[in-house]
Amino acid sequence: MKTLVVFDFDYTVVNDNSDTWVIRCLPDQSLPDSLTQSYQKGQWTAYMGRVMSYIGDQAVSPASVRSVMETIPFTDGMTELLTFISEHKSTIDCIVISDSNTIFIDWILQAAGVQAAVDHVFTNPARFDERGYMEVQRHHLHDCTRCPVNLCKRKVLEVYLAERRAERGVEYRCTFYVGDGGNDLCPTSCLRGSDVVMPRKGFTLEKLLVKLKDNDLVSLKARVVAWSSGSEILHELKTSVSA
């Protein structure tokens, strides 16, 4: 019986938005208004494809993009938390479900030396083409009306849990879901009473969970524990693992 930790990435593992952080690699660190105004709600992946195409047009090399992405700050206490997880892989599994992309997340985790903590990253696939332009694709197709068109985190989590159960007979004694944003609300609906949802204090997920509780529109079975640093998550995790 292992413990599963599920992380969002932006404003959770790292203390900024990785997709907007990349703009720092541009000479003037800004995008033209015509590009920023092209974003349509729920179509973030398509928008980021245009952003990365523009960055390629400015002759910014993949190496330059990587050097900028590796400077994004981690949220306080997160590297210590991930280090603890990497040292306890016999009892703790860890996945990331994010609306960022595979390249950014891999670069950032590797630069911090904490990639060993994460067993799998579920995010939008990205690659550099023959010109050195980064292309981003949708993670998957889904029919959830509450989530962005490219990613339903609940579906990802449900499939992961089912596959672990079918392939290796793994049943997690406790799942910790750690996030901050509106797209982190949907996966909390598949958590059990033995699980813990951990919203970042002062961010959207915490506010949505408060409204959920007040309106009692949907039954949330998991315990809610808000956090402001990785050390608070680590305390909860250590308490659960040692119980």
Side-chain angles (χ1 to χ4, degrees):
M1 296 290 287
K2 302 180 76 174
T3 296
L4 174 65
V5 182
V6 184
F7 286 108
D8 171 48
F9 195 71
D10 294 337
Y11 284 111
T12 297
V13 174
V14 293
N15 201 28
D16 212 303
N17 184 324
S18 57
D19 280 344
T20 56
W21 189 267
V22 73
I23 296 169
R24 288 168 169 77
C25 72
L26 290 166
D28 59 358
Q29 299 191 13
S30 65
L31 298 171
D33 291 342
S34 59
L35 181 51
T36 57
Q37 293 169 5
S38 72
Y39 169 67
Q40 295 179 320
K41 186 176 180 180
Q43 302 288 336
W44 184 259
T45 306
Y47 170 71
M48 280 307 300
R50 294 191 293 276
V51 169
M52 296 312 300
S53 180
Y54 176 79
I55 288 174
D57 287 342
Q58 308 313 303
V60 179
S61 69
S64 295
V65 175
R66 179 169 188 164
S67 65
V68 166
M69 295 311 301
E70 290 179 343
T71 66
I72 193 169
F74 275 69
T75 301
D76 183 46
M78 278 294 170
T79 54
E80 291 82 2
L81 171 59
L82 289 168
T83 298
F84 174 83
I85 291 172
S86 68
E87 294 171 347
H88 293 79
K89 298 308 297 177
S90 62
T91 55
I92 304 173
D93 286 345
C94 175
I95 63 174
V96 169
I97 310 177
S98 168
D99 206 2
S100 181
N101 67 73
T102 52
I103 290 177
F104 286 176
I105 293 177
D106 287 348
W107 280 347
I108 293 166
L109 293 177
Q110 288 176 21
V114 292
Q115 70 272 27
V118 180
D119 300 297
H120 199 96
V121 175
F122 298 93
T123 187
N124 302 300
R127 72 177 189 92
F128 283 98
D129 65 18
E130 65 281 354
R131 302 170 298 164
Y133 284 43
M134 197 175 92
E135 300 175 342
V136 186
Q137 298 177 329
R138 294 182 182 183
H139 174 70
H140 63 183
L141 297 174
H142 65 84
D143 55 7
C144 178
T145 58
R146 295 189 291 176
C147 293
V149 296
N150 61 294
L151 177 64
C152 171
K153 295 187 176 185
R154 175 183 52 79
K155 180 177 180 180
V156 170
L157 180 55
E158 287 177 337
V159 170
Y160 176 81
L161 292 172
E163 289 180 346
R164 292 287 288 165
R165 188 179 306 116
E167 294 173 5
R168 301 190 181 183
V170 175
E171 288 284 354
Y172 293 106
R173 61 191 295 269
C174 179
T175 294
F176 286 83
Y177 188 96
V178 185
D180 73 283
N183 64 354
D184 292 311
L185 181 64
C186 190
T188 66
S189 64
C190 69
L191 298 179
R192 307 158 301 175
S194 58
D195 299 332
V196 184
V197 54
M198 302 195 70
R200 188 171 183 181
K201 291 179 182 177
F203 284 69
T204 302
L205 179 59
E206 182 188 32
K207 297 172 184 176
L208 290 174
L209 289 170
V210 170
K211 289 183 179 179
L212 197 66
K213 182 179 179 180
D214 291 344
N215 296 330
D216 197 28
L217 296 176
V218 180
S219 176
L220 178 67
K221 298 177 181 178
R223 183 165 59 97
V224 178
V225 179
W227 63 277
S228 58
S229 73
S231 60
E232 293 170 297
I233 302 169
L234 180 56
H235 173 75
E236 289 290 330
L237 183 59
K238 285 182 175 179
T239 300
S240 175
V241 170
S242 62

